[in-house]
Amino acid sequence: MADYRYDPQEIEPRWQRVWEDEQTWVVPEDGPTEADAYVLEMLPYPSGEPHVGHLKNYTIGDAVAHYKRRTGHRVLHPMGYDAFGLPAENHAIKTGQHPRVSTEAAIASFQEQFRRWGVSIDWTRELGTHTPEYYRWTQWLFLKFFEKGLAYRKEAAVNWDPVEETVLANEQVIDGRGERSGALVEIRQLTQWFFRITDYAEPLLDDLETIDWPPHVKTMQRNWIGRSQGAEVAFRCDELDTEYTVFTTRPDTLFGATFFVMAPEHPDVLKLSEGTEQEEKVATYVRQALTADARERGDDAREKTGEFLGRYVTNPVNGEQLPMFVADYVLMDYGTGAIMAVPAHDGRDHAFAEKFDLPLKPVIADPETGEAPTELPFTQDGPLINSAPQFDGLPNREALDQITAWLDAEGKGKATINYRLRDWLLSRQRYWGCPIPIIHCAEHGAVPVPEDQLPVELPDVTDYKPKGKSPLAAAEDWVNTTCPVCGAPAKRETDTMDTFVDSSWYFLRYTDPKNDTAPFARDIVDRWMPVDQYIGGVEHAILHLLYARFFTKALSDMDLLSAREPFAALFTQGMITKDGAKMSKSKGNVVSPRVMVERYGADTLRAYVLFMGPPEQDADWSDDGVEGMSRFMSRLWRTSAEAADTLEGGDLPAEPNADGLRILRKTHWAIDRVTSSVAERFHFNVAIAAVMELLNEVAVAKRGDAEPQIIRVALSTANSLLYPFAPHATTDAYALLNGGARLWEVPWPVAEERYLVADEIELVCQVMGKVRGRVTAPADADDAELERLARGDANVASHLDGKTVVKVIVVPGKLVNFVVR
């Protein structure tokens, strides 16, 4: 008797060698463009080894890629590594290796694992963002941004992570703490490089309507961009001959302003208090305020704190002098970081005014009385009072536009749209990053490195640990250079770029990765972009995904590509947890894909991570679940191998018997179910469950009279449908059943309508809601016929005997229920 033992450790490497030797997944350059499909997962940070989250991400993408290929598409499915930046550098510091050494070792591990998982990658397009061949073009793009005024340098209050010892972009600060370190962020005044992403705030917001992204991701981007319509009003500090602009959505309350407040981060706060009695108090307060959590600072219920700045500004609408304060309830990331305070009509301003004994001036009347409200703060609408004569009596909402127009006419303000979005701070005081291609000359300032001198290569240094300034500053032979304009001694920029710069355009380079004269050719990039299906974690919603959109729009405006959006469709997968918690070494609940693959094979792991539940949701790892999937994979392969040896092949019978027809119907039901689950909803768990159902039906049919040819077709179809999720075992089994046929070259099966429509149904028969029988009925039977068939069931008849039927409920195609008394 043959030994039908499933051995993934033999099967999987054998087929991987075939795919590797034949370069199966290398995308052909020829072919009709309408058949192109660009499927891409977010590229990984290569530090250590890949984890089960990586396995899930790339298994989802691989399933989509396989399905697209077998439905006639020419699929681009590449791989690369986001190799610069803090994750790689911190891993190097932890291991004591140079970042280049540890990064290359991690990349080798990722390559090995991805190959062992059988991911269908076009390895000829592989890239690493840390290689000079790649970052040459990152630098080239930076210079294009610089040339267009989209990259600039200025002194600014920046987020300083005291643990990472580097600056963080606003998007990398979560609730006042560094995204990676968790340390409370400090505010420092530093000269830094920025990208002018705010120039694209409106299209970044508007074009969300043009892409197929999850609603919650779009909402996160909308909230981060934060569009508000209002007025910009200038308040003048005569003592310093300086104007301070505020943005307000409530110009109707301007006449009620009684003080002026600035955020602790505002660059002029310390300057304002210089030379006053408040100077030391203000400096102390600012230091303390900047350590507070931003979310707590904005909490309405939090006790209000602040300090008088020793200065006054003039309210432009009535000439009143308003005392200036610094207070931490005002945040720098909204408006201009300064507000006019209207304590009679704003809860936080009111709490501050009470604390510091400041006046209240109501300017909106109680609509019930037409008089000043008796209880403050009054936050309802009503007619204006205590304002200018031309506005008093107007409903406050109607007065908004009139007051704004008056401000504009008087030269005191103007209507404007404000965005919460701030320019992207890209400077990093770390070693392991892309050098910024700028030379600083005493005569000519910031000078671009000539294009023919790119890349500016990152020098090897022995001491790369963060020290509060870039380690590159110590590489004097590298830093000291000459000005490209005048030839005088000059110095290179020593900050490196935020790693999100590297990942903001990598998907463009994949389309033309060997080009050594440009980052990509226009005709090639236009053929593939935008990415048809992008897959990754929702944690990148306002970081990578926003930055990539900005880059794409800016490069499109530079006429380097046609696409206005990088990713036409986005799928965000959920996290895999263990014992209800996020996996971490400290908790001892990490699942190693390497260990699992060695034990069960890649197909079992791939199928299991997609079977755990809807892939967009979090799911908890179960060792029993893996065992169950292993048994299913073994059963499918063994049943197929045995059938290939023992069951007759050939054409399907013209008129199958009842068992054969039942299997054919189940087979085409499975085709329809899997196809809709993969193509329309990414419900891979539903798709895998449908294949399991089909296999169960085959097991029953083998004990009955179903024709052997039909059983072979059903098993071939089961393997064909499971192939995107478990490509090795299914390829092997399909080849056994079909004379060595290559499953990846076989078109995706199509369900035949004639097998999807049943001639008969199973009718459930109930009495008082309880099932009392089941009968076979014609699929097209009317209600009267269904009732007649149900009454004819012996058990139903016995439960109706002696009872009066008061109502018959018929659900066509499903059940008949008799209500009796």
Side-chain angles (χ1 to χ4, degrees):
M1 184 175 180
D3 179 18
Y4 300 113
R5 185 175 64 86
Y6 172 55
D7 184 2
Q9 307 306 336
E10 185 279 327
I11 293 170
E12 292 175 357
R14 173 158 49 84
W15 286 107
Q16 288 164 9
R17 284 192 296 272
V18 172
W19 298 329
E20 181 76 22
D21 292 345
E22 297 185 5
Q23 298 282 279
T24 303
W25 314 126
V26 174
V27 62
E29 292 297 341
D30 55 345
T33 57
E34 61 269 18
D36 289 345
Y38 191 173
V39 177
L40 187 63
E41 306 90 356
M42 294 180 185
L43 80 175
Y45 297 124
S47 58
E49 285 208 340
H51 49 67
V52 290
H54 292 113
L55 177 66
K56 181 175 181 178
N57 189 33
Y58 298 106
T59 299
I60 292 171
D62 206 37
V64 176
H66 279 308
Y67 175 77
K68 292 282 189 183
R69 289 191 192 97
R70 291 183 57 206
T71 52
H73 294 85
R74 191 176 73 118
V75 176
L76 175 58
H77 188 216
M79 175 55 65
Y81 311 96
D82 196 2
F84 267 148
L86 296 179
E89 184 172 310
N90 287 342
H91 180 74
I93 292 170
K94 183 178 178 180
T95 60
Q97 296 176 306
H98 190 280
R100 185 171 284 106
V101 174
S102 65
T103 297
E104 292 292 347
I107 287 174
S109 177
F110 274 67
Q111 290 169 331
E112 176 205 352
Q113 288 292 287
F114 289 151
R115 283 185 161 93
R116 184 62 188 87
W117 298 345
V119 184
S120 61
I121 291 166
D122 180 350
W123 289 103
T124 66
R125 296 172 184 264
E126 185 182 22
L127 60 81
T129 62
H130 68 305
T131 63
E133 295 79 14
Y134 182 86
Y135 68 72
R136 168 193 179 185
W137 299 111
T138 302
Q139 293 173 346
W140 186 88
L141 292 172
F142 174 90
L143 293 179
K144 293 300 175 189
F145 278 63
F146 184 70
E147 179 185 309
K148 297 293 183 181
L150 292 173
Y152 67 95
R153 191 169 181 254
K154 71 169 184 178
E155 183 178 283
V158 298
N159 305 304
W160 182 264
D161 188 316
V163 172
E164 303 285 5
E165 294 194 63
T166 191
V167 166
L168 301 178
N170 287 345
E171 293 84 350
Q172 292 167 305
V173 179
I174 310 298
D175 297 330
R177 297 179 179 272
E179 178 194 30
R180 296 190 64 84
S181 71
L184 281 170
V185 167
E186 302 169 2
I187 303 299
R188 293 189 181 182
Q189 289 286 335
L190 295 174
T191 301
Q192 304 284 283
W193 285 96
F194 293 82
F195 280 137
R196 209 178 298 274
I197 191 173
T198 51
D199 279 10
Y200 284 82
E202 194 71 22
L204 285 169
L205 197 59
D206 291 345
D207 291 351
L208 286 169
E209 301 303 320
T210 70
I211 51 181
D212 181 15
W213 285 22
H216 65 284
V217 176
K218 289 185 178 183
T219 298
M220 291 169 75
Q221 289 213 356
R222 287 191 189 99
N223 291 343
W224 188 259
I225 296 167
R227 186 183 192 274
S228 302
Q229 193 161 344
E232 202 172 75
V233 187
F235 288 72
R236 184 172 188 79
C237 178
D238 293 326
E239 294 171 274
L240 300 181
D241 193 26
T242 304
E243 282 191 346
Y244 293 102
T245 301
V246 303
F247 170 79
T248 178
T249 59
R250 296 295 306 276
D252 56 320
T253 63
L254 266 166
F255 291 89
T258 61
F259 58 99
F260 191 90
V261 189
M262 304 178 85
E265 300 91 339
H266 197 291
D268 281 3
V269 161
L270 298 178
K271 187 192 333 180
L272 279 162
S273 64
E274 280 181 8
T276 73
E277 294 180 356
Q278 294 294 108
E279 183 173 2
E280 188 174 333
K281 290 181 180 179
V282 168
T284 300
Y285 178 80
V286 167
R287 280 195 301 272
Q288 293 173 344
L290 294 180
T291 65
D293 184 295
R295 186 168 54 182
E296 291 180 6
R297 284 171 53 184
D299 186 351
D300 289 350
R302 186 170 182 260
E303 183 182 359
K304 300 298 175 279
T305 63
E307 286 290 346
F308 177 48
L309 291 172
R311 306 286 183 185
Y312 293 82
V313 290
T314 303
N315 187 337
V317 300
N318 55 19
E320 292 180 0
Q321 293 291 293
L322 309 182
M324 301 179 75
F325 289 83
V326 57
D328 66 2
Y329 78 92
V330 177
L331 304 176
M332 195 66 204
D333 65 358
Y334 180 79
T336 62
I339 67 161
M340 56 167 208
V342 186
H345 301 289
D346 180 90
R348 293 184 302 168
D349 294 347
H350 183 268
F352 189 90
E354 286 203 323
K355 174 83 177 282
F356 290 88
D357 197 23
L358 296 167
L360 312 180
K361 181 182 178 182
V363 291
I364 299 175
D366 184 334
E368 298 291 328
T369 64
E371 304 292 332
T374 56
E375 292 187 17
L376 298 176
F378 183 77
T379 57
Q380 301 173 39
D381 293 332
L384 290 185
I385 56 174
N386 300 326
S387 302
Q390 67 267 39
F391 303 127
D392 280 342
L394 289 175
N396 68 301
R397 294 294 170 181
E398 290 182 22
L400 284 169
D401 291 342
Q402 294 187 37
I403 292 175
T404 301
W406 175 73
L407 287 167
D408 193 28
E410 295 288 321
K412 297 175 179 179
K414 61 181 180 180
T416 190
I417 294 172
N418 180 72
Y419 296 94
R420 180 175 179 265
L421 182 68
R422 292 291 180 261
D423 279 345
W424 174 6
L425 193 162
L426 66 105
S427 294
R428 294 295 179 269
Q429 292 69 43
R430 297 292 290 252
Y431 166 67
W432 191 239
C434 177
I436 296 174
I438 292 291
I439 292 170
H440 297 287
C441 171
E443 177 73 16
H444 294 97
V447 179
V449 172
E451 287 184 16
D452 61 3
Q453 294 179 23
L454 299 179
V456 177
E457 292 204 32
L458 186 68
D460 276 326
V461 300
T462 55
D463 187 3
Y464 50 82
K465 294 182 180 179
K467 299 177 176 63
K469 64 178 182 178
S470 176
L472 289 178
E476 295 184 4
D477 290 345
W478 180 84
V479 171
N480 294 317
T481 186
T482 56
C483 173
V485 177
C486 64
K491 293 184 180 295
R492 295 191 187 278
E493 173 63 60
T494 58
D495 283 354
T496 54
M497 295 188 209
D498 179 5
T499 187
F500 283 108
V501 179
D502 308 322
S503 59
S504 291
W505 75 280
Y506 78 101
F507 44 88
L508 304 175
R509 183 65 175 173
Y510 279 146
T511 67
D512 195 14
K514 300 297 189 289
N515 194 327
D516 62 0
T517 61
F520 41 81
R522 174 66 182 267
D523 61 329
I524 295 176
V525 76
D526 281 352
R527 176 167 194 164
W528 289 107
M529 289 297 295
V531 173
D532 293 282
Q533 184 63 64
Y534 200 43
I535 300 153
V538 72
E539 66 272 16
H540 296 294
I542 56 171
L543 290 162
H544 162 60
L545 290 172
L546 186 64
Y547 294 154
R549 295 184 64 221
F550 161 59
F551 252 63
T552 300
K553 292 180 186 301
L555 296 178
S556 180
D557 285 344
M558 296 176 200
D559 207 29
L560 292 174
L561 73 157
S562 298
R564 297 293 298 173
E565 287 287 339
F567 316 120
L570 172 70
F571 182 84
T572 54
Q573 87 274 7
M575 182 187 301
I576 296 178
T577 57
K578 182 72 163 67
D579 304 324
K582 184 177 179 179
M583 293 187 191
S584 70
K585 291 180 181 177
S586 62
K587 293 176 182 175
N589 66 344
V590 172
V591 175
S592 166
R594 182 186 294 276
V595 171
M596 290 287 129
V597 169
E598 288 173 355
R599 183 178 304 164
Y600 297 105
D603 282 342
T604 290
L605 265 291
R606 288 173 56 126
Y608 174 66
V609 297
L610 297 184
F611 188 64
M612 296 172 76
E616 70 275 15
Q617 298 178 11
D618 293 349
D620 202 54
W621 183 275
S622 163
D623 292 338
D624 290 342
V626 183
E627 289 281 357
M629 185 57 68
S630 178
R631 289 192 295 272
F632 165 67
M633 292 302 307
S634 177
R635 183 178 168 218
L636 176 61
W637 186 90
R638 285 187 290 102
T639 304
S640 300
E642 183 180 2
D645 281 350
T646 61
L647 295 183
E648 178 186 349
D651 295 335
L652 292 178
E655 294 186 9
N657 63 33
D659 283 348
L661 186 59
R662 181 171 55 81
I663 291 300
L664 279 175
R665 284 182 173 148
K666 194 65 177 182
T667 298
H668 286 268
W669 168 86
I671 293 171
D672 183 64
R673 182 86 160 168
V674 173
T675 301
S676 63
S677 296
V678 173
E680 299 170 15
R681 302 187 297 272
F682 281 20
H683 287 177
F684 306 121
N685 57 319
V686 174
I688 295 169
V691 178
M692 290 176 172
E693 279 195 47
L694 176 57
L695 184 59
N696 289 338
E697 288 286 349
V698 168
V700 173
K702 286 179 67 180
R703 297 192 295 269
D705 295 326
E707 292 86 346
Q709 299 92 335
I710 291 177
I711 292 176
R712 288 179 71 112
V713 166
L715 287 168
S716 293
T717 303
N719 283 287
S720 182
L721 296 174
L722 194 67
Y723 165 81
F725 322 119
H728 310 88
T730 54
T731 294
D732 199 61
Y734 192 91
L736 293 173
L737 286 162
N738 295 278
R742 296 160 165 252
L743 183 49
W744 64 90
E745 295 174 352
V746 176
W748 187 257
V750 177
E752 294 185 35
E753 193 65 31
R754 60 181 172 145
Y755 293 121
L756 295 178
V757 179
D759 295 330
E760 295 179 330
I761 62 165
E762 182 181 68
L763 185 70
V764 175
C765 307
Q766 297 178 337
V767 178
M768 298 300 289
K770 293 185 178 181
V771 177
R772 298 304 184 187
R774 298 175 190 271
V775 298
T776 300
D780 58 357
D782 60 18
D783 289 3
E785 176 66 6
L786 294 176
E787 180 182 344
R788 185 187 70 77
L789 290 168
R791 286 180 179 273
D793 181 83
N795 194 40
V796 171
S798 69
H799 281 83
L800 295 180
D801 188 31
K803 304 285 197 318
T804 300
V805 177
V806 295
K807 188 176 184 181
V808 180
I809 300 169
V810 179
V811 180
K814 292 187 177 180
L815 64 83
V816 173
N817 180 31
F818 296 96
V819 180
V820 299
R821 65 166 181 252

